[in-house]
Amino acid sequence: MLLALAGCKQEPSFDERFDAAQKKLEAKTKAIDAELSVAASEGAAAQAIESGSPAATN
């Protein structure tokens, strides 16, 4: 009986699950921000080309 219990892994605590979820969301947030930044840069460049003026850099 003890050997059977020793093989069971304890489930992560609430704090461990919360920290893991928070890290995952932060990574997604950074990825989305990077994607939006690239899209905004490409949009500004395309608009500058259409209007004939140089693109503003942020």
Side-chain angles (χ1 to χ4, degrees):
M1 181 72 163
L2 289 177
L3 291 175
L5 292 176
C8 294
K9 183 178 178 183
Q10 184 179 2
E11 290 187 29
S13 70
F14 173 82
D15 289 334
E16 292 169 333
R17 292 190 320 259
F18 182 87
D19 289 342
Q22 186 176 18
K23 287 178 184 176
K24 193 174 193 179
L25 287 174
E26 286 174 358
K28 284 184 180 183
T29 300
K30 287 180 183 179
I32 290 170
D33 286 344
E35 225 175 282
L36 290 174
S37 178
V38 168
S41 295
E42 290 174 352
Q47 187 177 14
I49 291 170
E50 289 173 2
S51 67
S53 64
T57 57
N58 293 341

